Amino acid sequence: MVLKDGNSEKSLELFLSIGLDERTASNTINNNKVTSNLTAVIHEAAVTDGCDRTTGNLLYSVATKYPANALVHRPTLLKYIVTSKIKTPAQLEAAFSFFANTGSEDFKLNEFEEACGVGIEVSPEDIEKAVNKIFKENNKTILEQRYRTNVGELFGHVRKSLPWADPKIVKKLIDEKMFELLGERTAADNEKPTKKKEKKEKPAKVEEKKTVVEATPEPSEEELNPYTIFPQPEQNFMVHTEVFFSDGSILRCSNTKEVLDKHLKVTGGKVYTRFPPEPNGYLHIGHAKAMFVDFGLAKERGGCCYLRYDDTNPEAEKEEYINHIEEIVNWMGWEPFKITYTSDYFQELYDLAVELIRRGHAYVDHQTAEEIKEYREKKMNSPWRDRPIEESLKLFDEMRRGMIEEGKATLRMKQDMQSDNFNMYDLIAYRIKFAPHPKAGDKWCIYPSYDYAHCTVDSLENITHSLCTLEFETRRASYYWLLHSLSLYMPYVWEYSRLNVTNTVMSKRKLNYIVTNKYVDGWDDPRLLTLAGLRRRGVTSTAINAFVRGIGITRSDGSMIHVSRLEHHIREELNKTAPRTMVVLNPLKVVITNLESDKIIELDAKRWPDAQNDDPSAFYKVPFSRVVYIDQSDFRMKDSKDYYGLAPGKSVLLRYAFPIKCTNVVYADDNETVREIHAEYDPGKKSKPKGVLHWVAESSPGKEPIKVEVRLFEKLFNSENPAELNDDWLTDINPNSKVVISGAYAVSTLKDAAVGDRFQFERLGYYAVDKDSEPENLVFNRTVTLRDSYGKGGK
C-alpha cells in the first residue's frame, strides 16, 4: 500500500480506528469523495477516538450510501447508530429509504423509529417460531437435499418475516434445526473423516507437491443471503448519484414519482435484471459471478432476468459466441426471462439520439480518434462542440444515410470537459461503421457506443437493478446524466468487485490472443477458466455456483482469489458424485508367480467408499489374475522407513485384493530399467502390510487391460498474477500445463464410459471423459487432484 502524504496517513489511522479492515481503509483514501464523506461522518458522530467494528461498518455505509437530498437529517441518524438504537444493516437500509423519501422536510421521530425497527426486540422464541414455520413449509425439500439445502434461502425467508431479527440467532437456530431434522452429516453429505491409514498411503500417491495457501475467511451470517443488500423496486426514488459539474452545480439524479409509478405499473413491482454479455468471445468464470448476481437476485425476489446480447460492434460478434453464451447460461442452471439484443432497439436508440441533439445535449464532431484522445487528455472542448443544433441534426441524418465516410464524424454527448471524472469528457454516442450487422443486416451504418446504449436499453427494458463490476463505477455519472437528459426512467445501479483468480488471465483480449495464436487448444481448453473449459475439464456448474456464492457480492476491489478455493468446491462436489475406479497411469508389470496362469479371481471393488455390503449397485467387478499392473512410481529398489510402496522383499496390499510380496526384479537389456516384477500373493490375507496400492489386471491370460489416454492439467501460468508482468505475460505460460499419457491402463468397467462422465481414479484424483474420445480410445481429463490445498478457514 502506498500512501500519498501525511493527510493520507492520518485518514488511514482514523479509518482503522473505527474497525475498517486495512484493505477497505486503503481503498477509501484513494477515493477523495468517500474519504471526505467518511471523515465528516466520523467527526459528526463524535467517534474520532474510535468505535467498535459493527458501528464503524454502519458509519462507512452512511458515508457511501446516505441520500444526498436529506443531509440535514444525517446527524439524527448518526445518534441512533452510536447509541446502538440502529445496529443492523437492515435497519440502516430502512433509514436510508425513509430519509430519501423525506428529503429535507421535517419528519416525526416516531414515524422514523417505526420505519427502522427502533426499539423492536425480536425474541429468540419469535425467531424459533419463524424458523419452525419455514422448516415445516420446506420439510420435503430439506429431507431430499439434506445438507445440500440452500441455507441462505431459508435464512432469507426468516428475515423477510422478521426483518429486525438478530441474524446470528437466526443462523444458529437454523443450524440447530438442520441437525435436529437430519442428524449428523453422513459421507454422502460430504463429510470426509481423515483416516490414519490414508495418511500412511500418501507417500505412495502419484501427486505433485502440495501448494501452500492462506485460508480465506468464511462469509458472515449477513452474507448468507447476499441479495438482502439490494432495495425493493418501489424504493427506486432515492438519489442514485451526484454528478458534480465543473461550474459548481450538482445534478442529483432520481426518478420522479410519476416516472417511478409508470415503471411499477409496467413491471408489476417485480425485480427486473439483465445479464448483458458481449458476443465477442467465450464466457469465463468472472461471468459466472455476474450470472449469480443478475439471475440470482431475480430468482430470489421472484422477478425476471433478461439475457441481453450487447451487440453494438458488428465487427467483433459471431454467431458462434451467441450460441455458446445461451448454452452456457443454461448449463449454469439459469433460465432467462427473455433473450434480447441491443440491436433490437437500434431504431429507438437512434430516435433518442435525435432527441438528445434537439435538447442541446449532443453534437456531431469531426475530430479523428487521435484528436479526440488528445483533447480529452488536455480537457479541451472540440472545435465543433458549440455548433448549432439544426446543423448537428442534419449531419447526424447524413451519418445515418451513409453520406459521410467512416472515421470522418461521430456523435458525441455534450457533457463536461472540465469534470474531475474523465467519463464525462463528451463520450461518443455513435460512430460510423460500414459493416453488416449479424442480426440487423445492412440496415445501419452507424452504431451506438456502449456508454450510450447500455443505460438507455436498461431503461427501455425497465430494469430495476443494473448490476456491474467496479470498473464501471466511474461511469455512473454518465449513465445517469444521459437518462436524466432524456427524462427516462433510471434503474438502481450497484457495482460489485470483479472476480480475479490466480494463475490465469481473465481479460477477453488476452484470452482471445492465446486462443487465436494456439497457445491453448481452443476456447474450451481445460486449462482455461472459461466456463466451456471448466465444463470440459469435468467441473460441475454446481461447484462453480457454490464457489461464487461463497465469495459473496462484495465491493472490496483488487482481491485475488486463490485457485485452490475453486478446487476446494470442485472436490466437495465430485467427492459426492464421482464413482471410484482404478487406473494405472504408467504401468509396471507384476507377475504373481504363485497363481496359476489361467486362473482368474473375480473381486468386488467399491464405487463408493462407505458402500453397504447389501447394495450391489455400489460395487463393480475386477479380475485378479497372474499378471497385474501397478504404477511405476509405486516401486523402488531401495526401501525406506517412510515409504509405503513396493520394494524387493517388501509387501503391499493391492486394494480390494490380496497382499503381495516382491520376490524378484527383471531388468531390461540396459540392466537399469525395471521391466517387470515377480511377486507372491497371500491368498489367506494373513500378512498386514501398511502400503495400499491401486492396480489393474489382465482380464484373461495375455490380454492387456483397456488402454486409455490421460491428460494431466496444471496451472496455465506460473505466476499467481500474470497480468502484472505486462508485456512479458506470455513468457509466464507453464510449459508443463498439459501432460499427455497415452499408455495408461484402466479396469474393464470403464469401456462404456461416455463423454462427460466423471470418476475418481483412486489415489490419483478426479477425471472426466473428454470429447476427443473414440470407442476404442477413451480420453480422460484430470479435473483436480485428490489433495486439497485450500485452508480450513473458508469455502
Side-chain angles (χ1 to χ4, degrees):
M1 180 180 62
V2 179
L3 298 177
K4 296 178 181 178
D5 50 39
N7 289 333
S8 294
E9 291 179 358
K10 290 179 182 178
S11 295
L12 180 64
E13 185 179 347
L14 180 64
F15 298 162
L16 292 174
S17 75
I18 66 168
L20 296 189
D21 62 81
E22 189 165 344
R23 182 186 296 278
T24 302
S26 59
N27 284 342
T28 299
I29 63 173
N30 291 325
N31 186 317
N32 293 334
K33 181 184 175 185
V34 179
T35 296
S36 176
N37 284 349
L38 184 55
T39 302
V41 164
I42 292 171
H43 281 84
E44 212 169 272
V47 291
T48 52
D49 293 332
C51 62
D52 62 88
R53 186 174 184 177
T54 299
T55 300
N57 285 336
L58 294 177
L59 295 179
Y60 181 83
S61 295
V62 172
T64 54
K65 299 173 69 176
Y66 187 84
N69 64 334
L71 287 175
V72 67
H73 301 309
R74 190 168 73 180
T76 301
L77 175 59
L78 295 176
K79 287 179 183 178
Y80 276 81
I81 291 174
V82 296
T83 57
S84 295
K85 292 180 179 178
I86 287 180
K87 54 190 175 183
T88 68
Q91 287 181 297
L92 191 60
E93 288 293 340
F96 291 159
S97 297
F98 180 87
F99 284 128
N101 193 31
T102 302
S104 59
E105 297 176 5
D106 292 335
F107 65 94
K108 296 180 180 178
L109 270 179
N110 64 323
E111 293 178 354
F112 165 69
E113 291 183 350
E114 182 181 353
C116 302
V118 174
I120 296 177
E121 296 294 335
V122 183
S123 69
E125 291 76 19
D126 290 335
I127 300 175
E128 187 171 8
K129 287 179 183 177
V131 169
N132 288 337
K133 181 182 178 184
I134 296 303
F135 270 74
K136 185 176 180 180
E137 293 171 352
N138 296 274
N139 185 267
K140 183 179 179 182
T141 301
I142 296 171
L143 289 174
E144 288 176 354
Q145 298 182 355
R146 291 185 56 77
Y147 285 100
R148 290 171 291 175
T149 300
N150 188 336
V151 177
E153 289 186 2
L154 301 179
F155 186 88
H157 290 316
V158 176
R159 291 293 299 276
K160 281 181 181 178
S161 61
L162 297 174
W164 316 123
D166 186 327
K168 293 182 180 179
I169 296 178
V170 175
K171 175 62 167 54
K172 179 175 178 290
L173 290 175
I174 287 177
D175 288 344
E176 289 175 355
K177 191 69 178 176
M178 289 287 287
F179 183 83
E180 177 188 329
L181 186 63
L182 305 176
E184 294 282 358
R185 286 176 179 261
T186 65
D189 296 319
N190 196 32
E191 188 69 24
K192 297 191 292 184
T194 303
K195 299 179 182 178
K196 289 184 179 180
K197 72 172 186 176
E198 290 176 351
K199 288 184 178 180
K200 293 177 181 177
E201 291 176 29
K202 284 183 180 178
K205 290 183 179 180
V206 181
E207 288 274 2
E208 295 299 322
K209 65 180 181 179
K210 182 176 179 178
T211 304
V212 180
V213 297
E214 293 184 4
T216 306
E218 291 189 27
S220 65
E221 283 84 353
E222 286 82 359
E223 292 173 324
L224 283 172
N225 183 352
Y227 307 111
T228 56
I229 61 177
F230 297 118
Q232 296 294 341
E234 60 269 19
Q235 296 175 300
N236 199 3
F237 50 77
M238 298 179 284
V239 173
H240 298 293
T241 196
E242 294 175 323
V243 182
F244 296 89
F245 290 98
S246 56
D247 62 4
S249 61
I250 301 174
L251 171 63
R252 293 186 172 93
C253 301
S254 60
N255 290 313
T256 64
K257 185 177 186 303
E258 292 74 23
V259 168
L260 183 59
D261 287 346
K262 181 180 177 182
H263 159 80
L264 293 172
K265 186 175 182 180
V266 173
T267 63
K270 284 187 175 182
V271 164
Y272 275 67
T273 61
R274 82 288 174 272
F275 175 60
E278 296 177 69
N280 59 1
Y282 275 43
L283 302 184
H284 54 63
I285 196 163
H287 294 104
K289 179 175 180 178
M291 282 186 245
F292 176 77
V293 177
D294 294 323
F295 285 100
L297 172 61
K299 182 178 180 181
E300 197 271 340
R301 299 281 178 90
C304 308
C305 182
Y306 287 90
L307 168 56
R308 184 206 303 159
Y309 292 104
D310 183 20
D311 59 340
T312 57
N313 186 357
E315 296 171 328
E317 291 137 18
K318 295 181 181 178
E319 194 70 26
E320 171 194 356
Y321 300 143
I322 291 173
N323 294 336
H324 157 76
I325 289 169
E326 186 175 349
E327 178 192 352
I328 284 293
V329 166
N330 290 327
W331 177 70
M332 286 296 296
W334 305 114
E335 185 177 352
F337 152 69
K338 190 176 181 182
I339 297 175
T340 60
Y341 298 76
T342 298
S343 57
D344 294 339
Y345 303 94
F346 275 177
Q347 185 62 54
E348 291 95 326
L349 292 172
Y350 174 80
D351 293 340
L352 287 169
V354 171
E355 178 62 22
L356 196 65
I357 299 171
R358 286 197 180 115
R359 294 188 179 199
H361 297 310
Y363 61 96
V364 172
D365 186 19
H366 299 295
Q367 287 184 303
T368 64
E370 292 75 18
E371 288 171 336
I372 291 175
K373 183 175 182 293
E374 179 187 352
Y375 272 54
R376 281 167 59 89
E377 289 172 352
K378 296 178 179 178
K379 301 178 76 168
M380 293 170 54
N381 289 347
S382 163
W384 288 277
R385 192 175 199 265
D386 295 319
R387 75 189 325 159
I389 289 174
E390 289 304 321
E391 190 176 320
S392 282
L393 286 170
K394 177 176 178 295
L395 289 167
F396 189 49
D397 181 60
E398 291 176 359
M399 287 171 61
R400 180 187 65 82
R401 291 190 285 147
M403 297 171 64
I404 301 178
E405 291 180 38
E406 190 169 322
K408 297 296 184 181
T410 58
L411 181 69
R412 294 179 67 183
M413 295 180 266
K414 197 172 185 178
Q415 297 169 299
D416 185 2
M417 289 296 296
Q418 304 305 312
S419 171
D420 290 335
N421 184 344
F422 64 91
N423 278 305
M424 288 292 287
Y425 294 174
D426 289 11
L427 299 177
I428 293 174
Y430 270 86
R431 70 278 198 214
I432 301 169
K433 279 186 181 290
F434 290 106
H437 189 277
K439 193 166 185 291
D442 295 323
K443 183 177 180 180
W444 297 92
C445 62
I446 57 171
Y447 294 99
S449 67
Y450 171 89
D451 292 292
Y452 174 77
H454 181 67
C455 57
T456 314
V457 177
D458 275 356
S459 182
L460 293 174
E461 290 188 338
N462 277 291
I463 299 303
T464 60
H465 298 74
S466 180
L467 310 170
C468 52
T469 48
L470 274 171
E471 67 263 32
F472 293 97
E473 187 172 22
T474 56
R475 302 193 188 202
R476 259 203 205 196
S478 62
Y479 184 104
Y480 283 121
W481 174 89
L482 179 56
L483 295 183
H484 175 85
S485 298
L486 289 168
S487 304
L488 294 175
Y489 159 76
M490 302 177 190
Y492 170 82
V493 173
W494 198 84
E495 301 89 2
Y496 53 89
S497 61
R498 185 186 180 98
L499 176 55
N500 296 304
V501 182
T502 61
N503 304 98
T504 191
V505 290
M506 305 284 273
S507 156
K508 270 192 178 181
R509 180 182 61 82
K510 285 184 168 70
L511 285 171
N512 187 63
Y513 187 88
I514 60 177
V515 169
T516 304
N517 291 279
K518 302 189 184 304
Y519 286 91
V520 293
D521 304 324
W523 282 99
D524 65 347
D525 187 299
R527 291 168 289 181
L528 297 177
L529 291 195
T530 59
L531 295 175
L534 288 167
R535 178 173 63 173
R536 184 176 177 185
R537 188 163 177 159
V539 178
T540 66
S541 59
T542 309
I544 298 171
N545 282 324
F547 166 67
V548 296
R549 184 181 186 91
I551 292 168
I553 309 174
T554 64
R555 278 180 57 84
S556 56
D557 196 16
S559 57
M560 180 72 71
I561 306 299
H562 203 288
V563 69
S564 61
R565 186 167 181 171
L566 170 61
E567 292 172 348
H568 167 81
H569 286 283
I570 296 169
R571 289 187 187 91
E572 289 275 294
E573 175 69 16
L574 293 178
N575 182 58
K576 295 180 288 186
T577 59
R580 278 56 171 168
T581 191
M582 292 193 291
V583 172
V584 173
L585 298 183
N586 298 292
L588 176 60
K589 186 176 182 180
V590 179
V591 179
I592 311 297
T593 56
N594 63 333
L595 184 66
E596 297 90 332
S597 61
D598 60 347
K599 186 171 183 179
I600 304 293
I601 302 174
E602 199 170 65
L603 303 170
D604 284 328
K606 289 184 176 181
R607 287 192 172 93
W608 307 103
D610 297 318
Q612 300 298 315
N613 291 332
D614 59 353
D615 182 5
S617 66
F619 294 84
Y620 65 95
K621 298 294 184 181
V622 291
F624 180 75
S625 60
R626 183 178 173 85
V627 175
V628 301
Y629 296 87
I630 64 172
D631 252 308
Q632 292 177 16
S633 60
D634 284 336
F635 177 81
R636 64 170 66 163
M637 289 301 298
K638 290 185 179 180
D639 195 11
S640 62
K641 194 173 183 180
D642 60 348
Y643 175 63
Y644 296 93
L646 191 61
K650 187 177 181 179
S651 295
V652 295
L653 175 65
L654 297 183
R655 196 159 179 79
Y656 309 121
F658 305 94
I660 63 170
K661 182 178 181 180
C662 177
T663 57
N664 187 37
V665 178
V666 179
Y667 292 96
D669 293 339
D670 60 8
N671 291 323
E672 291 185 6
T673 306
V674 177
R675 192 179 72 192
E676 66 180 51
I677 298 167
H678 292 175
E680 293 181 355
Y681 87 111
D682 175 8
K685 302 183 181 180
K686 295 177 181 178
S687 58
K688 302 294 181 183
K690 294 180 180 179
V692 181
L693 306 183
H694 62 286
W695 55 280
V696 176
E698 291 183 349
S699 57
S700 59
K703 185 177 180 182
E704 288 186 340
I706 298 173
K707 188 174 287 188
V708 297
E709 179 180 309
V710 178
R711 298 171 180 174
L712 306 179
F713 296 107
E714 293 290 346
K715 298 174 181 66
L716 182 58
F717 290 89
N718 291 313
S719 301
E720 288 196 351
N721 190 4
E724 288 182 338
L725 301 175
N726 298 320
D727 293 340
D728 296 326
W729 66 282
L730 287 170
T731 65
D732 192 52
I733 290 180
N734 177 10
N736 301 312
S737 60
K738 177 182 178 182
V739 176
V740 178
I741 299 173
S742 56
Y745 283 157
V747 295
S748 57
T749 52
L750 283 181
K751 69 179 185 299
D752 297 322
V755 173
D757 285 351
R758 303 174 183 90
F759 302 90
Q760 184 196 104
F761 292 178
E762 297 211 35
R763 298 179 63 240
L764 299 178
Y766 295 98
Y767 293 76
V769 183
D770 188 73
K771 67 178 185 179
D772 289 344
S773 295
E774 297 175 353
E776 299 302 319
N777 183 31
L778 287 175
V779 178
F780 290 89
N781 295 326
R782 183 168 69 187
T783 308
V784 69
T785 58
L786 286 180
R787 185 175 298 176
D788 194 340
S789 60
Y790 179 56
K792 296 180 180 179
K795 297 181 180 180

